[in-house]
Amino acid sequence: MKRTYIIMTLLALLTACSTTRYITDGEQLYTGIKKIEFVEADKYAGSNTGKTAIEEVTYALECAPNGSIFGSSRWRALPLGLWWYNAFHNSDSRLGKWFFNTFATDPVLVSDVNPQLRAEVATEVLKYYGYFNGNVTSEILTDKKSPKEAQISYTVTLNEPYKYDSIEYCNFPAQADSIIKATWKRRQLKDGEQFNASAMENERTRLSGLFRNNGYYYYQPGYIKFLADSINNHGNIQIRIQPENNLPARISRIWKFGNTNIRVTKSLATGERNSNMATNDTLGSRHFKYIYNGKKPPVKTGALLRNMQIRPGELYSYEKQQNAFKRLSEMNIFSNINFTLTPRGDSDTLDINITTQLDKPYDFTFELNATAKSNDQIGPGSKISLARKNVFRGGETLKFTLNGSYEWQTDKNVKGRAAVINSWEVGADVSLNFPRLFFPIIHRKYLRMPATTSFRLHTDLMNRSGFFRMIRAGGDATYNIRSHSSTTHTVIPFRLSYDMLLSTTEKFDSIAKHNRSIENSFRNQFIPAMQYTYTYDNTNTYHRNKTCIEASVTSAGNITSLLFYAFGKRLDQKDKNIFGNPYAQFIKGTAEMRQLWKIDKNQYIATRIMAGAIYSYGNSEYAPYSEQFYIGGANSLRAFTIRSIGPGSFRPDNENRYSYLDETGTLKFEMNVEYRFRIISDLHGALFVDAGNIWLMKKDPQRPGGELKASTFAEQIALNTGFGARYDLEFLVLRLDFGLGLHAPYKTKRNGYFNLSPFKEGFAWHFAIGYPF
């Protein structure tokens, strides 16, 4: 019965191939835009405003037909949804109705597109950008072979745009006028520029923001109007900017901050059933009142005042108000913050009233990932974190983290035994985070900067079966300072770690004996370092396209060497020790740029490019193993497992190919491109391409082909493609990626550039949490 129904369904789809089957008389199926012709665009649209106008007009005219490729108005594939519509349009069966409701799409008709109305809207867009004599016309092009199908053609005539002849600011109060003059260079409108209504709105918003940041609490953009005159001079417009008439007196009044009243209520998670029924207590002074529940304040008064940074009598500033709200939110201890200002009687004072509710005191997170490779290597990994918020009642967070991963070889023919090659890694760290700069001698004014401080202790135990067992332990102090809403400076003035080999095998010892780089990289040693990282990230802004740039420089052992020099040791002296162990000396730099381009609300292009280099000198001939670069894995080259590529064209032989010993380097370059799209509801898909490798800065005879050379750079770039699925749960993203190898930098059994068989040698899948970049 099922087979019969499937055959009937296929026959129904085949008979439904006529896409105009249910198009009524007088209607036509829209099959896309044939062309949009811009008349003399090169002559009249050379400015940025003109280019924007063309983009906006194109957007107003475009409309996707049935079977559109990526929402294109011109490119179509098979209109499968329309076929389903025709196949089950009149179906009475339950299954047929399900097919129709699930897969069918209604035909897009020319009348639905309404080309004449779109042309009128596009004409208005031209006027919005100064093309007052512009015009847009449409033409319906009926298909000669199928009269019920039609394309649309548009002609856009720009003509010469109008420009600003003069711009005048009038009738503003004296203090407001002085603010305008003080920020004259930042104005959005300038004489001689092309008329742009968008820029006029931006100027209106800018002026309102300036006024609100200088005491005008009630000012809004709508209180500013534009008067335009183009009669006296054709092609030029005179603009007058002035306040609206008959504005209420309070709008033109300058306000000041008054008293602050803050109420902190406990979360239901703390055991308090009804905060309103609990006993309230109050702390405060002349200008500050702190109301809370319980015997002692749940948050220290100093922590609240330090983050508020608003003083009574100060001129009102919307920016200060928003910063206070943001700083309180960034304490990460409140689940709700309500911020209101109330005029005090007939005075020019605004009292601040803040109501907050404490968030739950504990946070628990669990992450899981898994990887499988076509060479029978598989392995899961996980991370568990528990955080205690507001541990000292100042917004501090105490966090414990455990992580681990395991990887084994399941090939039954590995030296005659199954699952004998396995590696694992476990680690733990504890950190204490302060929502401020925590430094004993720092000046008080710097304590007001948006910043956090973190102190961390960590340990990591690594086991590479058949070779070695190694432990790394250490600690650091980290300061994050935000100089701008999108810019962060991370300073690690002190970071100390210690690498120690716990045990080695005879095989490892024999390798290290004949390879000085391995011996030096894995020695027991201290790594005293300091680091600076610059981060620009606008992903939390309203920009259409998101950019993140991160550059970092790490210096290890140099301050230590200067201290040794102060006590009589030469700077070029080798084998200087701390507590009987040598210390590493190197400089390391990394740079990474991520860009997210928005096509529409359901489609994005995400890219990443990164590079890194580490150079060891002085007390170290080679960089520590834990500091060297590696590549591959769920967030890198997704057709290759972690540490399975490079350096360069080097490939360990069959005796040690799973050792991970040699597949690290001192140079790294990587690129990733990912097309992300919505499949249905919260399920998203991705198509990606990854490329990159690692190299050696110093030639190593034991790893031939590992050094970087310009002549072999291109062919040593590993390349893979793949596809994946993501399920967005809002609070986390579940990700499953399938990587298909295309080119390996080492020699394989296949000749030519595409030297990997994707589903045999170059196939891997990864299950992970979150996006790869």
Side-chain angles (χ1 to χ4, degrees), residues 173-216:
Q175 186 157 345
D177 188 64
S178 65
I179 295 171
I180 295 173
K181 291 178 179 177
T183 59
W184 189 249
K185 293 183 178 180
R186 287 185 278 167
R187 67 192 189 280
Q188 299 293 305
L189 306 178
K190 297 179 180 179
D191 297 349
E193 290 186 346
Q194 182 174 333
F195 178 90
N196 186 341
S198 177
M200 294 171 68
E201 289 300 318
N202 292 339
E203 178 66 3
R204 191 202 305 262
T205 302
R206 184 187 76 88
L207 291 175
S208 175
L210 279 175
F211 297 156
R212 294 205 70 192
N213 286 329
N214 286 273
Y216 293 93

Side-chain angles (χ1 to χ4, degrees), residues 119-243:
E120 292 174 359
V121 171
T123 300
E124 293 301 315
V125 171
L126 288 178
K127 294 179 181 179
Y128 189 82
Y129 289 101
Y131 297 97
F132 291 101
N133 296 321
N135 186 43
V136 181
T137 59
S138 64
E139 182 182 1
I140 298 174
L141 306 175
T142 301
D143 193 311
K144 295 180 180 179
K145 295 181 180 180
S146 178
K148 285 194 173 183
E149 293 185 359
Q151 289 182 302
I152 299 173
S153 177
Y154 295 98
T155 301
V156 182
T157 304
L158 298 173
N159 291 322
E160 189 170 355
Y162 276 61
K163 297 181 179 180
Y164 298 118
D165 180 59
S166 63
I167 302 169
E168 186 179 5
Y169 295 79
C170 303
N171 302 329
F172 287 97
Q175 186 157 345
D177 188 64
S178 65
I179 295 171
I180 295 173
K181 291 178 179 177
T183 59
W184 189 249
K185 293 183 178 180
R186 287 185 278 167
R187 67 192 189 280
Q188 299 293 305
L189 306 178
K190 297 179 180 179
D191 297 349
E193 290 186 346
Q194 182 174 333
F195 178 90
N196 186 341
S198 177
M200 294 171 68
E201 289 300 318
N202 292 339
E203 178 66 3
R204 191 202 305 262
T205 302
R206 184 187 76 88
L207 291 175
S208 175
L210 279 175
F211 297 156
R212 294 205 70 192
N213 286 329
N214 286 273
Y216 293 93
Y217 171 66
Y218 287 102
Y219 224 100
Q220 298 294 330
Y223 298 151
I224 301 172
K225 67 179 180 180
F226 293 88
L227 301 179
D229 183 7
S230 61
I231 297 176
N232 296 328
N233 193 353
H234 182 72
N236 293 281
I237 297 179
Q238 296 176 342
I239 296 292
R240 176 178 292 180
I241 307 172
Q242 63 184 45

Side-chain angles (χ1 to χ4, degrees), residues 63 70 109 127 130 145 150 156 217 304 324 326 576 588 688 722 729 748:
C63 181
F70 301 148
L109 305 177
K127 294 179 181 179
K145 295 181 180 180
V156 182
Y217 171 66
L304 295 174
K326 188 174 183 179
K576 296 188 285 287
K588 180 179 182 181
F688 56 83
L729 298 175
T748 66

Side-chain angles (χ1 to χ4, degrees), residues 559-677:
I559 299 298
T560 308
S561 289
L562 289 176
L563 293 175
F564 272 94
Y565 178 74
F567 285 94
K569 299 283 187 178
R570 297 197 317 271
L571 289 176
D572 59 349
Q573 182 177 336
K574 303 288 186 179
D575 299 324
K576 296 188 285 287
N577 296 326
I578 302 176
F579 302 117
N581 290 279
Y583 64 87
Q585 190 172 5
F586 61 83
I587 187 166
K588 180 179 182 181
T590 60
E592 179 177 356
M593 178 177 178
R594 298 189 296 273
Q595 183 79 34
L596 183 68
W597 280 281
K598 181 179 180 180
I599 301 174
D600 57 39
K601 65 179 181 179
N602 295 320
Q603 301 178 92
Y604 297 87
I605 298 291
T607 62
R608 174 176 65 178
I609 181 170
M610 73 89 60
I614 181 171
Y615 178 73
S616 54
Y617 55 92
N619 211 47
S620 296
E621 186 178 357
Y622 299 95
Y625 174 75
S626 57
E627 294 287 343
Q628 293 184 28
F629 298 108
Y630 55 85
I631 203 166
N635 299 321
S636 183
L637 303 185
R638 281 166 277 187
F640 305 92
T641 52
I642 194 169
R643 296 185 179 92
S644 64
I645 293 294
S649 61
F650 174 74
R651 180 70 167 172
D653 57 36
N654 293 330
E655 292 297 319
N656 63 10
R657 64 176 301 178
Y658 305 110
S659 66
Y660 294 139
L661 295 181
D662 297 332
E663 295 180 88
T664 59
T666 52
L667 295 169
K668 181 177 181 178
F669 179 74
E670 182 178 352
M671 297 183 297
N672 312 85
V673 179
E674 188 169 278
Y675 168 59
R676 299 170 181 172
F677 55 93

Side-chain angles (χ1 to χ4, degrees), residues 9 84 255 513 567 686 711:
T9 301
W84 285 103
W255 299 81
K513 183 178 180 180
F567 285 94
S711 59

Side-chain angles (χ1 to χ4, degrees), residues 710-764:
S711 59
T712 58
F713 175 79
E715 66 185 57
Q716 290 183 355
I717 294 290
L719 179 68
N720 70 249
T721 186
F723 57 93
R726 293 94 166 85
Y727 191 74
D728 191 347
L729 298 175
E730 292 188 359
F731 59 93
L732 61 85
V733 175
L734 303 177
R735 173 166 59 95
L736 182 63
D737 283 337
F738 299 89
L740 305 174
L742 299 177
H743 173 73
Y746 48 82
K747 291 184 178 180
T748 66
K749 296 178 181 179
R750 301 181 65 176
N751 296 323
Y753 181 79
F754 298 101
N755 59 359
L756 288 174
S757 178
F759 288 96
K760 292 182 180 180
E761 302 168 283
F763 172 75

